Amino acid sequence: MHPLAQFRYCPKCGGTDFRIINEKARRCEACDFTYYFNPSAAVACLVTDKMRNVLISVRGKEPAINTYDLPGGFIDLNETAEEGMARELLEETGIHYSRGINEGIASPLKYLFSLPNIYPYSGFEVHTLDMFFHLEVETVMPYVGEGQDDVAELVAVPMSQLHPEDFGLESIRHAVEMILAGHYF
């Protein structure tokens, strides 16, 4: 299905003659406005400690409720990827990170790689570009327990015991596979 199939009306004039012109665009025949459908930016973070434990979030909401995830989410307007990652870390885990090395933070936030993704939300496929980061903390143990925001629980899992199939979202699962294969971390 075309990514814009659910868009039937022009967002500029409300016209109904809003035609698909290519794989990522529709044009309104009434006002000649062309809408280009681009991915939303999202972030996720592999949080590890010196003992190679990984801080895993258990999803508290759909999609993929009760499956493993990495802390993260959508970037807000006027945020950089790093600012969005720092905000998501605070909201979901309580980790307070700013651009420097803070108390309890062993190394600065490091960008790893990105993956395209389709995030199902309320019956709508949100195309995203997921940017993955790594943050090393002294220990993940202070953050383990009840989750915050849309996270049901935070757990510590040794890196050697991570199983990609436990992660419910495709891009996160793929990222964990890449990390375990030693490609980026």
Side-chain angles (χ1 to χ4, degrees):
M1 174 170 43
H2 191 279
L4 290 170
Q6 296 180 54
F7 292 86
R8 297 187 308 171
Y9 304 100
C10 173
K12 183 176 179 186
C13 76
T16 58
D17 201 4
F18 195 43
R19 297 184 184 200
I20 292 171
I21 59 171
N22 62 35
E23 69 179 19
K24 66 176 185 174
R26 277 187 173 235
R27 183 177 50 245
C28 179
E29 297 299 319
C31 72
D32 206 33
F33 174 73
T34 301
Y35 178 75
Y36 291 94
F37 188 66
N38 296 304
S40 295
V43 291
C45 192
L46 180 75
V47 179
T48 62
D49 65 18
K50 293 179 179 292
M51 301 298 294
R52 304 226 356 126
N53 292 308
V54 179
L55 186 64
I56 300 294
S57 57
V58 177
R59 294 186 60 81
K61 295 182 179 179
E62 292 292 354
I65 192 169
N66 296 324
T67 63
Y68 280 2
D69 199 357
L70 297 176
F74 288 96
I75 295 174
D76 287 345
L77 294 175
N78 299 312
E79 275 185 330
T80 65
E82 294 82 3
E83 290 167 343
M85 189 71 263
R87 178 185 47 75
E88 288 288 345
L89 282 168
L90 183 60
E91 288 175 2
E92 294 185 353
T93 70
I95 294 173
H96 186 270
Y97 178 81
S98 62
R99 290 198 180 262
I101 295 179
N102 307 322
E103 184 178 331
I105 306 293
S107 67
L109 188 66
K110 178 184 173 190
Y111 174 77
L112 298 176
F113 55 87
S114 64
L115 293 171
N117 187 33
I118 296 177
Y119 183 82
Y121 183 76
S122 296
F124 183 76
E125 291 183 342
V126 180
H127 290 249
T128 66
L129 178 62
D130 298 347
M131 292 169 266
F132 291 87
F133 290 86
H134 173 244
L135 181 67
E136 185 179 51
V137 296
E138 295 294 334
T139 177
V140 298
M141 292 315 183
Y143 308 106
V144 170
E146 187 175 334
Q148 301 172 48
D149 195 31
D150 56 356
V151 173
E153 182 181 9
L154 293 163
V155 297
V157 178
M159 180 84 74
S160 63
Q161 294 178 22
L162 285 181
H163 301 286
E165 62 273 12
D166 293 337
F167 292 80
L169 300 174
E170 186 176 337
S171 72
I172 303 294
R173 189 171 39 255
H174 188 162
V176 170
E177 289 169 349
M178 293 168 61
I179 290 164
L180 291 175
H183 295 324
Y184 294 94
F185 175 71

